[in-house]
Amino acid sequence: MVRRNDERRAALVDAAIEVLAAEGARGLTFRAVDTEAAVPPGTASNYFANRDDLLTQAGARVYERLQPDDATIARQRASTRDREGYTALMRELVGRISAFRTGYLALLELRLEATRRPALRAVLTERVRADMAANVAYHEESGLPGDATAVRLLYLALNWLIVEQLTLPDMFSEAERDALVAAAVERIVTP
């Protein structure tokens, strides 16, 4: 029987994210999640049907936690609609995602695991497609320069910059990272 205490479930999924980031997908067990969440042994198995369910919910939770808050969205909507404003938006995005280091590393682990689990791959593909569609729609509604292709190219370029930042943090300084974000916007986004 799967339990319905939403607060406990969220804490367990957050613990799963931490385990994925620290131990990788192979280290993600119900016992490891129980330990990370500081709950009695057997708790996670009462909340998730199986390991695939836990992996899928961890992936969904990472995306939930990566969403900007209302204040950030309001600030973005109030900014200029030119490359300078776009650059500020992309710097904020890279900074926000990099700040949730364990979440992004867990997401990378989930993507690797998805190469071996077709059901997880289907869920992640659907989620990433929906996220991309939302980003393109936001871009088109906001009046920012560039088109849908520019949004997709920035997504691809900045995702790898984030991977570098999180896995090899001494590769680029913060100033170099900001300069690379500005250069990507300048070269990819046409007025």
Side-chain angles (χ1 to χ4, degrees), residues 30 46 49 61 102 130 146 160:
F30 286 147
N46 289 325
R61 180 76 170 138
T102 56
W160 200 258

Short mmCIF file of all heavy atoms in Angstrom, two decimals, residues 30 46 49 61 102 130 146 160:
data_model
loop_
_atom_site.label_atom_id
_atom_site.label_comp_id
_atom_site.label_asym_id
_atom_site.label_seq_id
_atom_site.Cartn_x
_atom_site.Cartn_y
_atom_site.Cartn_z
N PHE A 30 16.04 2.18 -1.30
CA PHE A 30 15.09 2.65 -0.28
C PHE A 30 15.80 2.88 1.05
O PHE A 30 15.54 3.85 1.74
CB PHE A 30 13.94 1.66 -0.10
CG PHE A 30 12.95 1.66 -1.24
CD1 PHE A 30 12.29 0.49 -1.59
CD2 PHE A 30 12.64 2.82 -1.94
CE1 PHE A 30 11.36 0.48 -2.62
CE2 PHE A 30 11.71 2.82 -2.97
CZ PHE A 30 11.07 1.64 -3.31
N ASN A 46 7.18 2.30 1.79
CA ASN A 46 5.75 2.51 1.99
C ASN A 46 5.19 3.63 1.11
O ASN A 46 3.98 3.77 1.00
CB ASN A 46 5.46 2.85 3.46
CG ASN A 46 5.64 1.68 4.38
OD1 ASN A 46 5.36 0.55 4.01
ND2 ASN A 46 6.15 1.94 5.57
N ALA A 49 6.04 2.65 -5.11
CA ALA A 49 5.70 1.29 -5.55
C ALA A 49 6.95 0.46 -5.81
O ALA A 49 6.97 -0.74 -5.53
CB ALA A 49 4.83 1.35 -6.80
N ARG A 61 10.64 16.03 -9.37
CA ARG A 61 10.90 16.97 -8.27
C ARG A 61 12.05 17.92 -8.59
O ARG A 61 12.00 19.11 -8.24
CB ARG A 61 11.19 16.20 -6.98
CG ARG A 61 11.47 17.06 -5.79
CD ARG A 61 10.21 17.65 -5.22
NE ARG A 61 10.54 18.27 -3.94
CZ ARG A 61 10.08 19.43 -3.54
NH1 ARG A 61 9.24 20.10 -4.28
NH2 ARG A 61 10.44 19.92 -2.39
N THR A 102 23.04 19.72 -6.29
CA THR A 102 22.66 18.31 -6.13
C THR A 102 21.50 17.95 -7.05
O THR A 102 21.44 16.83 -7.56
CB THR A 102 22.30 17.98 -4.66
OG1 THR A 102 21.28 18.86 -4.21
CG2 THR A 102 23.52 18.09 -3.76
N ALA A 130 8.25 19.15 -22.65
CA ALA A 130 7.29 20.11 -22.09
C ALA A 130 8.01 21.36 -21.58
O ALA A 130 7.53 22.49 -21.78
CB ALA A 130 6.48 19.46 -20.97
N GLY A 146 15.17 37.19 -31.02
CA GLY A 146 15.48 35.81 -31.37
C GLY A 146 14.23 34.99 -31.60
O GLY A 146 13.12 35.48 -31.49
N TRP A 160 25.56 22.66 -21.11
CA TRP A 160 26.91 22.13 -20.96
C TRP A 160 27.77 23.07 -20.12
O TRP A 160 28.63 22.60 -19.36
CB TRP A 160 27.56 21.85 -22.32
CG TRP A 160 28.69 20.90 -22.08
CD1 TRP A 160 30.01 21.20 -22.02
CD2 TRP A 160 28.60 19.52 -21.76
NE1 TRP A 160 30.76 20.09 -21.71
CE2 TRP A 160 29.91 19.04 -21.55
CE3 TRP A 160 27.54 18.63 -21.64
CZ2 TRP A 160 30.18 17.71 -21.22
CZ3 TRP A 160 27.82 17.31 -21.32
CH2 TRP A 160 29.12 16.86 -21.11
#
